[in-house]
Amino acid sequence: MNLAKGLLLAGLLVCSICAHASSTIVNLKVQDVVEPLMIEDTHPVFSWQMQSDERGVKQQAYQIVVKRASDNKVVWNSGKVNSGYSDNIKYLGVALQAEKEYTWDLTVWDSKGKELKSSSKFETGLMDPSIRAWDGAQFIGSKTKVLDAASHSYFEICSEIQIKKGGKASLILGANDFRLKDAFQNVKNMSGTNYIRVELDLSGVGQAQGASLNVYRVGYDKGDKADMPMLTINQAKYPKTNINQIFTSANKADKHTVRVFVQTSMMYFVIDGTDVLTGEDTQGRRFGGGFAVGNVGGETFKASRFQIGTYGRTHDFNTEPNLCSVGFAAAPETEATFSNYVIK
């Protein structure tokens, strides 16, 4: 009695499994693409796949019916084709028309004679390689110019700076770099505020110390300090600097054009059309020699380069600083104006 019940239960399980077994047709493709939008072949190829929960089930025959979507006219009916092939099935109807949408209905018969149905669509392109096919074409999209400037590592910032009172005014760049704000993304596992500040310090003009150009780097490396410049260009550190010829007691309060060029990890400074250093002054130092920069509107400046980024001078490393966020700064009690500010 128990054996009979066991055999009955097993039979019921087998029947239950059979009842839930199913087969489907998937991955309907034209020219190896699902629902393509730019078919250029007047006689493309079709393909599909069968999926089944049943063992041993396979395709026995297929039928493809292609219709033009605009009027639902049948342009090809393959009829029932006794074949197990489901790849590289060539379209044999009338030549497809350019810039039209088509639908195709697929029927597949499996080895048990069961019908499986599925549908898809595709669109044709210009179907003409000559330039005349583009007659009357217009660009689409926004008329607004869009530039991902923040990620650029080659750029120039130029501004006229006039310090009317006090002595220190700065241009800020490379700020809020997302790569540095998040310790998870920062290769040095740092996070927080980050920026590069190029400071024009004229407080010593007319005195022994003279003018200085200071570069502060914050948040780029663990040794960075907001109150200590990583680079200072003045007479004391670079005896052959031009900076005291550029800034004098007579012109200290005038407008001065400050140009900051950035090339990956390197920075160049040109003030009133003059390099802040002579080429000889950088020879033998880790900052290297001169480099031609600018070349905008026929201008070319020979300027000394300084490594500001934490990595080398090549493209084999992360570029720093990128343009990112920019701005201005002035010391307390300083009155300064920034005019004709340009980023190239």
Side-chain angles (χ1 to χ4, degrees):
M1 185 67 177
N2 290 339
L3 178 60
K5 288 182 178 179
L7 291 173
L8 179 60
L9 178 60
L12 290 173
L13 285 173
V14 171
C15 290
S16 176
I17 293 173
C18 293
H20 289 88
S22 63
S23 300
T24 56
I25 302 300
V26 297
N27 290 333
L28 278 70
K29 297 181 180 181
V30 182
Q31 299 291 81
D32 294 321
V33 179
V34 175
E35 296 187 358
L37 299 177
M38 294 291 290
I39 294 297
E40 297 293 333
D41 196 328
T42 57
H43 291 81
V45 294
F46 298 85
S47 64
W48 59 89
Q49 293 176 330
M50 174 189 284
Q51 290 183 349
S52 180
D53 297 330
E54 298 182 68
R55 289 186 178 182
V57 173
K58 61 181 180 179
Q59 176 181 303
Q60 179 175 275
Y62 69 84
Q63 181 179 16
I64 299 173
V65 178
V66 180
K67 299 178 182 178
R68 190 167 52 214
S70 59
D71 56 7
N72 211 34
K73 180 180 179 180
V74 175
V75 293
W76 182 45
N77 185 341
S78 70
K80 186 174 182 180
V81 180
N82 294 318
S83 172
Y85 286 106
S86 60
D87 184 47
N88 205 37
I89 307 300
K90 192 173 183 62
Y91 171 81
L92 299 176
V94 297
L96 298 176
Q97 296 175 298
E99 299 181 87
K100 297 290 184 181
E101 180 180 349
Y102 293 87
T103 62
W104 60 294
D105 300 315
L106 173 66
T107 304
V108 169
W109 288 266
D110 66 16
S111 50
K112 296 183 178 180
K114 182 180 178 181
E115 288 188 9
L116 307 173
K117 295 182 179 292
S118 189
S119 299
S120 188
K121 61 183 179 180
F122 63 93
E123 295 182 26
T124 54
L126 296 177
M127 291 185 167
D128 186 349
S130 66
I131 193 65
R132 67 174 179 272
W134 294 94
D135 287 347
Q138 296 180 346
F139 286 103
I140 60 174
S142 172
K143 294 182 180 179
T144 303
K145 294 181 179 179
V146 178
L147 174 68
D148 181 19
S151 65
H152 277 223
S153 58
Y154 279 77
F155 57 91
E156 172 195 347
I157 292 179
C158 177
S159 179
E160 292 180 350
I161 302 177
Q162 184 177 20
I163 301 178
K164 300 177 180 179
K165 179 183 177 182
K168 298 179 180 180
S170 304
L171 298 174
I172 295 174
L173 55 104
N176 300 320
D177 191 324
F178 77 93
R179 302 171 300 172
L180 305 177
K181 293 176 68 175
D182 182 358
F184 181 76
Q185 298 182 77
N186 191 336
V187 295
K188 297 182 182 296
N189 298 122
M190 298 168 55
S191 62
T193 302
N194 58 83
Y195 59 85
I196 303 292
R197 181 162 67 90
V198 179
E199 179 187 70
L200 197 60
D201 182 359
L202 304 186
S203 58
V205 173
Q207 305 174 37
Q209 66 193 73
S212 294
L213 181 71
N214 301 312
V215 179
Y216 297 82
R217 189 181 69 188
V218 176
Y220 279 71
D221 207 348
K222 294 180 180 179
D224 294 346
K225 295 182 179 180
D227 58 353
M228 182 179 295
M230 69 165 296
L231 170 68
T232 294
I233 302 173
N234 58 19
Q235 195 74 46
K237 291 186 177 290
Y238 293 90
K240 294 184 179 181
T241 180
N242 302 315
I243 200 163
N244 288 335
Q245 284 73 54
I246 298 172
F247 299 105
T248 66
S249 298
N251 69 17
K252 175 182 175 180
D254 295 344
K255 289 183 179 181
H256 295 278
T257 302
V258 178
R259 307 178 79 156
V260 180
F261 298 92
V262 178
Q263 178 195 26
T264 57
S265 297
M266 313 305 293
M267 295 182 74
Y268 314 79
F269 308 99
V270 175
I271 301 176
D272 293 341
T274 304
D275 181 13
V276 294
L277 291 181
T278 58
E280 296 83 357
D281 213 51
T282 57
Q283 297 303 316
R285 301 177 184 272
R286 76 182 186 92
F287 297 125
F291 192 83
V293 294
N295 198 21
V296 177
E299 297 177 284
T300 301
F301 295 98
K302 186 76 171 179
S304 304
R305 62 183 178 179
F306 301 88
Q307 183 174 326
I308 302 299
T310 57
Y311 301 97
R313 311 174 183 171
T314 73
H315 300 272
D316 298 331
F317 304 91
N318 288 346
T319 56
E320 295 176 354
N322 290 356
L323 180 60
C324 300
S325 297
V326 298
F328 312 92
E333 308 302 324
T334 296
E335 181 182 339
T337 61
F338 301 85
S339 56
N340 294 323
Y341 183 89
V342 176
I343 297 176
K344 298 180 182 178

